[in-house]
Structure formats: C-alpha cells, structure tokens
Amino acid sequence: MKNLRLSALLLILFVSVTVWPQGAVTLDADRIKRATVFIYQARSVNNDLVIKCVSSGTLISADGLIITNAHSVLPSQQCDGDQLIISLNVDLSEPPIPKYRARISSADDGLDIAILRITRELDGRLIASGELPILPFADIGNSDVVAIDHNLIAAGFPDLGNQAAAITRGTVTAFISEPSGPGPAWFKTRAEIPGTMSGGGAYNSAGQLIGIPTNAPAGRSAAASCRYIADTNRDGLVNSSDNCVPTGDFVSTIRPINHARSLIRGARNNLSAQIISAPAEMPPPLNPPRASRLFFAPSVSDGSPSTVVGSMPSNTKSLFFFFDYDNMTAETVYELRVSRDGIPDPTFSLPPVRWSGRENGLWYIGSREQAWANGAYEFTLLFNGTSVGSRRIIVGGGADNSSQFSDIVFGTLDQSGSLVGNGSILPLGDIASARFLFANMRNGLPWSAIWYFGAVEVARSADLWSDGSHGAKVIRVAPNGGLLPGSYRLELYVDGALSATSDFFVSGTPAGPLPEIFTRLRHTTADTPAAARNAPALSSFPTSIPTLYALFDWHQLAAGTPWTLRWLVDDQVFFDSTNPWHTIESGADFTVSLANPPDGSYKLQLLVNRLKLIEQEVTIGIGQLPIDRLARFEGTILSGRVFDAAAGIGMPSITIVLISADFTASEFEWREDQIFALATTDRNGNFQFARPLAFDTFYSVVIEADGFIPHAADEFWFSADQPYADIEIAMVRG
C-alpha cells in the first residue's frame, strides 16, 4: 500500500508539474502578483509612523531589489518621509502585510525611477547578508520590442494597501517621445490603472516586466489625487486637517523598463558612484516655471527641430511640439492636453508626470510612426496644474509646398571652405558657421537670420533671397570679442515667420573636428580624494580595492552647459548622469569615485551635449564581473497548490516538508538536520518555498493532514532549464 501511495504522488509530481524555461511565453498572473509589493513612505512623529506617500512596486531580484516610482519614495516637499515600509503578499486573496524596511539603492528623479533594497526587518533589525528568504520576483523583458496594439498587463494595489494585489489588462495605444532618453519616453494605454498602482509593473503577454506605470499628483490639495487616512493632528477626527496622502488619478502612462537598465545594473552589483567635485546643490529657482516660443516640427534631429511648420498634410505620422522652458525643478509636474476639433485626444495627451529635463532649455514632446487623423489640434501645456501656453496646428490637406529652411548644423570652415565639426559643439574661436537646407524658395523673398548668445541677440542679418529654389547655404557669425563659452542659438525666418532654429554650445579649445574640453583622464586608488589627486595613474587594479577614483581636467566649459558622466562595467552602463555644469570654466582634478567595486572592466566616458569626447578603461581583478546571481540564481523556485481530491477545493494550513538530499522519505523523523525547506498553504491551498531547489539534485517530500492519507515521495528533481515549477497535489481522505 505504501508503494502504491508513493507511485501516486510521483505521478502527480512528474506529470502535473508546469515549468517555465528562460524566455518561455507563459503568463502566470499569480506569480506576477507575488512579485508585487506595496510601499509606504513614512515619518516617525511622536513615536507613531505617519504615512506620507504610497505606491506599488515590483520585486526584480530574489534577494530583495524593488523597482518603483522615484517621486513616491525620494524625500521631497510632498513626500517628506524618511522610512520605507515594504508590504508583501502572503495570501493573494488578502491585503499585503508589512514585512520589511528598505533603503534607496539608486534613483533618477528625472526618469521618476527608483531601485530599493530590502535591508531590515519590520522592527528595524538589520538583515545580515544571506538571511533574507528567497523572494518571488519578476522577469525583466525588452521594452524596445513593444509595439502599438500589443497586449499589456498592469499589476499593483488598487487601494491604500487595504485590498489584495490586482491586475488590469489593456493594449499599448501610443508611444510618446521626449529628450529624456533613447527610444520612446512613454507608452500610453487605456487600461484602467488606479493611481495607487503607480510604481507597480506593466507586463507583456509573456509575463515579462516591460515598464513602470507612472503618474505624479500635482499637489496635496486636489481631492481626486490624495486621501486622508489617519488622524495625524490627533484631534480625534480624520478630515482635511490631517496629512493628505497623494495617490494620483488613473494612470495611462508607462515608463519603458529599458530606461531603468543602468539603475538596475548598478543596484544589482552594489555599485555606488559619487561625483566628489560637484559643488553644493544649486538652490531651486525662486520664480514659477514658465514656457515660451511654442512651435511644431515634423521631426527631430539631435534634439533640435528639423524645420518649423504651421500645418501638416494628410497621412502625417510624425509630429513634435517644441517649447523653451525656465525655472523647472525635479518636483515640477508637467502635463500636455491635446484636443482635436475641440474633443480631448487621449492618444497624444500626456497626463501629469514629473519633469525630466534641466532647469532651462529647449524641450519637445511628440510621436513618430503613428497616424494623426485630420483635424484642428490644440496643444495646451501645463506646469503644476496651471496652463502656461497653447498652440494650434491643422493636420490635413496636401503636401506643404511653402518656402522653408531646415536641418541646421554648426561647425567651422576649413581652408577649402568646407564645414567641419560635429554639428552641435564648437571650440572657442572668432567665427561660427551654420549650414542649412532650403526648399521652395524664390528669389526676392525676404529672409533673416538672428544669432543669440544665451538670451542676448549678438547678430542679425536681413536680406532678399537670391540663391534659387532648392539647395544648401552656409552663413557665419563673428561676435565682437569672439565666441565665448556657453550656449548659442540661430533662428531663421522666411517672410517674417520662424522657419528653422537650432542650438549649439561653445566649449574647449580647437583640436581637430572636436573641441578639447576634457584632458588628463586617469584612474587610481587611494585612501582619500585628496590622496587620489597625487596618486599615480593606473590601468589595472587588484581585487577588493576600497575605492576606484577617476580624475580629469577641463577647459572653457561654461556654467549651464549639459555634460554627462557615464560609467560602464563589462561594457554595460551602470551610472549615467547628465547635469548642467556648475563649477568654474577651467580647472584640474575633477574627481569621481566608485566604492568597493567588484572585479570587472570599467570604462568612464565624458560627454557634452550628448557627444562623447573622451573615455578610458581599466580592469579590476580578473577583469570580469562574477555571475549575476541576483538576476539568475542557481535553483528552481517551487510553488503549487494542495487540494482535496474529492471536493476539488484548496486546503489551507497544510505543511509541505522538503527533505534534504541526504535522506529519503522513509528515513524522515522530523529532525531539523533532515529538513531542507518548509512551506505552508494559504487559505486557498497555495504555497511557495522560500529557498530554491538546486538543479539536478534529488529531493524527497512529506505531506501530512488530519483525516487524509499521508503523502511521501523520493527522488524528484529539476534541470537547469526549469527556474520555476508549479505542482498540483491531490490529498485523499483516509
């Protein structure tokens, strides 16, 4: 009889097991929910925790890395908490239970993405390395392959932690582009995603994480976007006098997961870069944010409009809205409302999101490879809930045959009169040149060119056109005193209307086609930053150095010029920071550091206005990162369901015992050294083991329940192509 029962369970284990190899196209909604967490940002007030902000999040590694929105976890005026409480799903049919505390591992407030790491128990006790149970986590997909009309699943919590995790389904309806990163800056969807799901996960049909649903409540006062949930002023009432927890309205925008790749990589490898030479934080602007010079372009080239248009023909599939901006901060919330023929157009509108640009500059928002229906479009721009400008454009009719200029590029002229340079950065000198294309022009038509240095006009020319209908033209500017370091702009007008515009920067000294801005880039290691400035430059380092330093000199780099520091390990970016330059124009020994870097090949790149100017690579230890155990641990996560074979319903509170490989089920005596792992079923009979089962290792199992025939089985195992497994176990009444 015993052998019969063993054979029956073995049949269940081997026939009813569902496995998910890497890359398998399988949607497991329960697994997605288990990887979803609820996050409270809170602050201690009179020994009580006052909730400041809430969000959903997603576990992305077995050892407690979580991805979520930055605006709900980073300290700010609206979310001024100093503690992060993580609630997990213990029972998928019940609300989450607070379990741990976390810290911010890496964040980008512009992209509105943060990576958290679970570090403490709920009571504040530090969790030692290796002591955190293996947690369920989401597989990360490739957001670059997402297309219009692809199915999408959003996961999160539909209320303030008082309901179970939920999923909602929809499709991708549009892509929105901005200067904030490569590829689409946002996916749009009409899925009904509650505001408290902001920061959760968006998944493709294979169950892979491809984005983060994102919104940004514009303020505490908006009743639709915040909730009063606790008596924070201790007057015995919960009302508008208490702290209002922002939740936001329904979410329709999703930040693609590929924008978070560098943050995730840095957090997984505990890589923490610091810009030591950066000056103190600049004070926020005193004046409110504003926008000016609103216009449209059919396409974008290197961040600038190809040409300026007042209308677009039928079958338009690319349109961008440009504007200048000033006095912006990372906490500014911006929104674009688009209507067609007076009716709101949700496809091309952008709901309130955090600002991801600099304090001032030129911005665009739009889409390509998507049809714009004929009609009169009104674009209304809002900052912090207040309209700052609007612009109208007509789509429809025939091709535009009006006179126009386009595609401005900047450089200097060589001895033969040819334009040389990269098009957007020029070295210091006396003369700057610009080449542009012209079409449908006619001789005698009035045209003009205006050059600016910062916001100040430095040159203007006006004339009648005499160069024919189509072609290319080069013009020059020679300001009094020469070209000074800083930002410049050229505007071209045809018959009094703006037709083309583009910006460029002047920095560094002439050194071939590119200016020389950064020099003497070198790496070293030392005990302090001061010691690093006098330490010898090295190209290779031993294992386990405490700090890797990188130093460089700089020349003629004006305040406000956008520059980028990018650090890669094994050719994968883990730190990418773009900021306005905020120190003196020329200097030596600008210092950045990397604490406790693991073995690997490290490359530092320095860029200005998106152009890479210099890079250097060094090696530490063996010159290669260890296997990323956080992304792919060696073992199978085993979950499943125990149910009553006769009634077909799940059985709660059943203990499943995995016996270590050194013992069989018949040898099991409930000794601690025999138990490899324990799991207990929830109210629906579901369970999951906290420890992974090693590949190609034989295990035994014992299951006992009052009134049911005990189960025991020997020698079941999983191969290396089975990172997840799900089993159904039927219990028979004895």
Side-chain angles (χ1 to χ4, degrees), residues 410-433:
F410 300 96
T412 58
L413 297 181
D414 61 16
Q415 293 182 348
S416 64
S418 299
L419 193 73
V420 294
N422 73 311
S424 63
I425 304 175
L426 277 64
L428 268 69
D430 296 325
I431 299 174
S433 298

Side-chain angles (χ1 to χ4, degrees), residues 539-618:
S539 59
S540 61
F541 300 83
T543 298
S544 301
I545 60 172
T547 309
L548 176 66
Y549 288 99
L551 304 96
F552 57 87
D553 300 346
W554 69 98
H555 311 277
Q556 305 296 337
L557 190 56
T561 304
W563 76 290
T564 301
L565 188 148
R566 182 178 296 155
W567 224 327
L568 303 84
V569 59
D570 295 352
D571 287 324
Q572 300 294 315
V573 177
F574 69 86
F575 182 82
D576 194 324
S577 176
T578 300
N579 292 289
W581 188 258
H582 276 318
T583 188
I584 59 176
E585 286 189 358
S586 300
D589 296 335
F590 194 102
T591 307
V592 296
S593 68
L594 189 63
N596 301 308
D599 286 6
S601 296
Y602 292 84
K603 184 184 297 180
L604 187 76
Q605 298 177 342
L606 299 175
L607 303 85
V608 172
N609 199 29
R610 298 182 294 272
L611 177 71
K612 184 173 68 178
L613 297 175
I614 192 171
E615 68 179 10
Q616 187 180 70
E617 186 171 16
V618 297

Side-chain angles (χ1 to χ4, degrees), residues 108 110-111 176-186 255 259 334 355-357 363-364:
D108 188 315
L111 292 175
I176 292 182
S177 295
E178 293 175 337
S180 55
W186 302 100
R255 181 70 82 180
H259 287 257
Y334 97 109
W355 181 249
S356 56
W363 195 256
Y364 65 81

